[in-house]
Structure formats: C-alpha cells, structure tokens
Amino acid sequence: MCGIVAGVSGRDVVPVLVQGLQRLEYRGYDSCGVAVHRDGLQRARSTARVAELVEQVKAEHIASGTGIAHTRWATHGAPAVHNAHPHFSHGPANSSTNGSAGRVALVHNGIIENHDELRATLQARGYVFESQTDTEVIAHLIDSLYNGDIFAALQAAVAQLHGAYALAVFHKDEPHRVVGARAGSPLVLGVGEGGKEHFLASDAMALAGVTDQIVYLEEGDLVDLQLGRYWVADGQGRSFDVSQRPVKTVHAHSGAAELGPYRHYMQKEIFEQPRAIGDTLEGVEGITPELFGDGAYGIFKQIDRVLILACGTSYYSGCAAKYWLEEIAQIPTQVEVASEYRYRTSVPDPKTLVVTISQSGETADTLAALRHAQGLGMTHTLTICNVSTSAMVRECRLAYITRAGVEIGVASTKAFTTQLAGLFLLTLALAQVRGKLSDAQEAEHLKAMRHLPVALQAVLALEPQVISWAEDFARMDNALFLGRGLHYPIALEGALKLKEISYIHAEAYPAGELKHGPLALVTSAMPVVTVAPNDALLEKLKSNMQEVRARGGVLYVLADADTRIASGEGIHVIRMPEHYGALSPLLHVVPLQLLAYHTALAKGTDVDKPRNLAKSVTVE
C-alpha cells in the first residue's frame, strides 16, 4: 500500500527519496510527493506517476540533505493534490505563524481511528485543515505539542493516536533531523555508509543500492535520525540496547524488479513460476517438521486441529490446503477470512495450530487476526510467507519462507503457487507426525513435487490456446468459474484474477451449486470456465457441464488428457499435458492466470496497477 522514504544526509537526499518511491510503485498508489528542509519547508506533490513528480522536482530545483517522500493509496479523501502527502502544519489561524510556509512536514501510512475527535479539538484551537485526510490531523497535533524538540513532540502525539501508523516527520527549526514512529504499519531504519547518513522506509527494497544495513523497528518504536547518529526508543522515550534492535544485512536487490523481455510484471511473474517453485523446494530432501523451524516436532505433536487465517489470494491457497490437510494428514482444518475472524465470537482451542498465509508478511488484517488468536491463548503459530524479515515471520513461532522473489504485479501469481507448495509440505509434515504418511507415500509425494517445475513449463506452453480464449472473454461483461472439491478454490482464484485486472465481473461456484441459483445467470453471453481434472468428481462435473450447455451457455474447459471431454459446438477445451493428482491445483491455476492476463491485455487495462487496488494491504 502506501510507501514511505525519508533521509538525513550531508548530501542531497532527493534522488534517494524519489528512487525509493519508484521501487515502491508496485504497491499501488494514486498520488505521490516529496518535502525537504530548504530555508524552511518545500514540497512537490502529484496525482500522476512518480516519473511526473521527478520532473516537477527538477523544474522546481528541490534539493536538500533532509527530506521525506510518500506514495499514497487513498483512504480518507479523494486522490487529489491537496490530499497528497507530505502534509504541512502551518500553526493555528490565530497565531503569528499562520500563513507561513509550514512548520511540520509529515508522511503517514495507516489509518487514525480517532481523527474526527482530534480534528475537532485542533479546529477549536484555531488550526485550519486543507485536506480531508486523517494524516493532516497528526501534523497539526505534533505542531501543537512542539516546544523545540520534534522527537518529544512526536512522542507526545503518538500517545494520543488510536489506529495504525508509520510516520516520518521533520520541523523547519531543526535541519538535519527526521523522526519516525510505527504501530501496526511497517517501518525500517537504514544505516548509511559509515553511519553518516540514515534513512527510513516502509520497505527495505526502497533503499536497495543505498544501504543494506537495516534495523527492523518493532511495534511502538520511535526513532530519531540525525547526521552521524540515530537512536531507537519505546513510547516512553526509553532507548533500546543495540542488541534489542540489531542492524541486519539485507540484500534487497532492485534487479528483481526489472522487466527484462516481458511486457508486464504479471507476465514475467507467471513465467517465473517454475523457477520460484524450484527455489521454494530447494534443500527439501525429505519430510521433517524442522522444515518449519526449531521445535516444530514438539508443537506438531501437541496440536489436534488447524486454523488458517488469510486474505484474498492467500485465503484461496488456504482453502485448497484444507482439502490436503483433512485428506492426507487427517486433521480437522478451518479456514477463516482474516479480516472477519477477530470480529466474531469464536471458540478458542489451545491445541490449535494457527497458520497465517501472506505474501508480504505485513498484511494488516492477517496480523490483527494472528494477534487476536494469540490473545485467545492459541500460541502454536506458523506462517507461510514470502518475506523472511516481515512482521508475520517475527511474530509466529514457526515459519516456512517461500522463495518466490519480489512480486511486483498487484495480481498475485507466483506467490500463490509457492504458498501452495509450502502448504503441501506442511500437510506432509503433519501427516508424518500423526502417523498418516508411509515411507512409500512420502517418496511418491516428493517425486511429484520435484517434477513441478518441469510440469509448469509444459503448462506455460499452452499460452497460445489461452490467448484464443482471451479474445472471446475481452468482449464479455461477466463470467462464471466452476470447480469441484480441491479445484473449487482454484476456480475462486481464477475468477479473482479476471476481475482484478480486466474488470470483468466474475464469480466462482462449486459446480454442484449451479442448480441452486447461479444457473439462472447462464446465457450465451456468460462464458463458463470449468476446471476439469480426471479425479473422483469428474463424472459429476460432466453432468454440471451438461446443465450449462442445455441453457445455451458456452463452456471453456481445462481438462486432463484422459477425461474424454472434446471440443465442439459451445465447448472449448484446453488439454493439460498430464494428470497431476493431489498437486493438480498448482498446475490448473496457471492457465487461469494467463487467461486473466491476456484478457486484460486485449481490453487495454493497466495490468500491473489495476484501479483501486494496492499490492500490500497494510491498513485495515
């Protein structure tokens, strides 16, 4: 979601700030801006891309050794320049400072839940608001508390904030000083060369090429950056020992974000899946609980059920894993939408393994659900995550780090398939501990997993046939996706991909539910995508397909070679290269990813940055 970059240096930091914003563009944003300390405060803001902001910065000769920058995804207030960050506070209208060029400059990720109450108090004191954002409230609040020390003012301000925030702030009277704070939103500190310059960012990737020396700030931390020095403190201002907030070397290579020969990041990431799966499984010689961390065996022996918490695409990977966990490991499994879980009354069980799934490891809803589960006494926690340094990994007892690499496209592809790979390994490990996995079965499953990269390459070769489907879909306004059993979550994921980037309304159903309502929608103008592997439900699925054809619906079927489903009038068939058994979801989802991509391409939408969506959802 929103991105922050800030810095204090003896050199001009503006090139570092705008380059950092460019590296965070993949998160999604609708405005951007930069502010610097230069004979007071100076800023540039834009509702266009960062590239336009760069030109504005050059034209206005904005340069300084102290600055903050931001990409904003609108929550409070429309995407407009006056709502864009950074925000300034000018002092109350009845003070001598009113009308000045600004005193406090601030950028913010997150949502302040008590902003209305604070706004009313500040307006009563004479502060004039220029935006509809919750962020401007923080700038005025800090200004109202300022008495010569911006760190003390920030410390006093955050004590009054309810909600989530990552903040970077500076004051016109204190050059070469930037302060920050975090609660519920990620923020990292970058230590520059020789410790003479320091930076803040919402993601270490923003600082790639500038520094690889990173301090991960924890919940409630405040940080003070000055030339040649920095310190981290808690909300009461108590400084932390260096061992509590150590500097870590993080190689956040920006080269991973280069497009190479591909037109879009989504296309690149679809075709990276064989490599991503291979990397995710690298070093897995046998099934052992310790794949998930020290102490995993003891935890796995104690649990008698699994609770999966996730959102969006990650939720669908959890839905698929439920089938594996209950069939192979024979352990009761519940999958919850993380954004809903903590707002209902549930029955906690301390013998539950709580599994969170997240690409970024910073998904606000999933983190909140995890903490809620922990608060209910469910302390056996494990995450399947793509970022080893994320909050999710730090807050869970156990973890499996997928190695998808940086995923730039908003519509997740390689993160989804690597999550499935990690969840299948978890299934096998739990099955082994529970005595449900023989040596022969383990060998067979591992052989199938090692075959996945080759199998994925064969599926990617189906792209020309998928393009033919996409030409039809680009003319449609609606689509249905059907699957049964293990492949129903894959139908859900296919529908999500299509709606995310092509803006075609798409829904997915278990195929057996057709006659319970959705069949009323079926016409020749409603394409019906069917995931049809050769499994135990195939004959039932064929009956569902006949129901569609009898109503004039047009079928687009992903069929295994031996399903005896042939193309004909009103039915288009793409044959998968081989039958993949339990791992079939990892393969069948790939043509659906390609279908969404090529349909969006035909419609001319912004594939990598679909409207209204952000890559990493770091606010609730």
Side-chain angles (χ1 to χ4, degrees), residues 212-214 216 246-252 389:
D212 60 3
Q213 300 301 292
I214 301 296
Y216 286 91
V247 177
K248 298 183 178 180
T249 301
V250 177
H251 298 293
T389 54

Side-chain angles (χ1 to χ4, degrees), residues 292 300 303-308 317-335 353 355 357 382 384 422-432 434 436 486 582:
F292 299 88
F300 288 179
I303 60 106
D304 57 18
R305 63 185 58 247
V306 174
L307 170 64
I308 296 175
S317 71
C319 290
K322 174 183 171 71
Y323 288 90
W324 290 332
L325 286 161
E326 294 198 336
E327 179 178 347
I328 299 172
Q330 296 178 35
I331 185 166
T333 300
Q334 182 178 357
V335 189
L353 178 65
V355 177
I357 310 171
L382 182 151
I384 306 292
L423 288 162
F424 194 74
L425 286 175
L426 175 62
T427 298
L428 298 182
L430 286 171
Q432 184 188 75
R434 294 167 63 82
K436 308 297 183 183
L486 182 59

Side-chain angles (χ1 to χ4, degrees), residues 57 163 236 336 377 410 433 457:
V57 164
Q236 285 70 51
E336 294 261 4
V410 166
V433 170
Q457 290 286 11

Side-chain angles (χ1 to χ4, degrees), residues 523-576:
T523 69
S524 60
M526 174 75 83
V528 180
V529 180
T530 308
V531 183
N534 190 7
D535 59 16
L537 290 170
L538 178 62
E539 295 307 316
K540 296 287 187 184
L541 183 63
K542 286 181 178 180
S543 297
N544 302 139
M545 292 165 56
Q546 289 303 317
E547 292 170 350
V548 172
R549 287 297 303 125
R551 275 76 180 178
V554 180
L555 288 161
Y556 293 79
V557 185
L558 290 172
D560 284 348
D562 49 0
T563 54
R564 297 190 302 279
I565 300 173
S567 295
E569 184 179 356
I571 180 167
H572 307 272
V573 178
I574 292 178
R575 298 200 177 280
M576 300 291 282

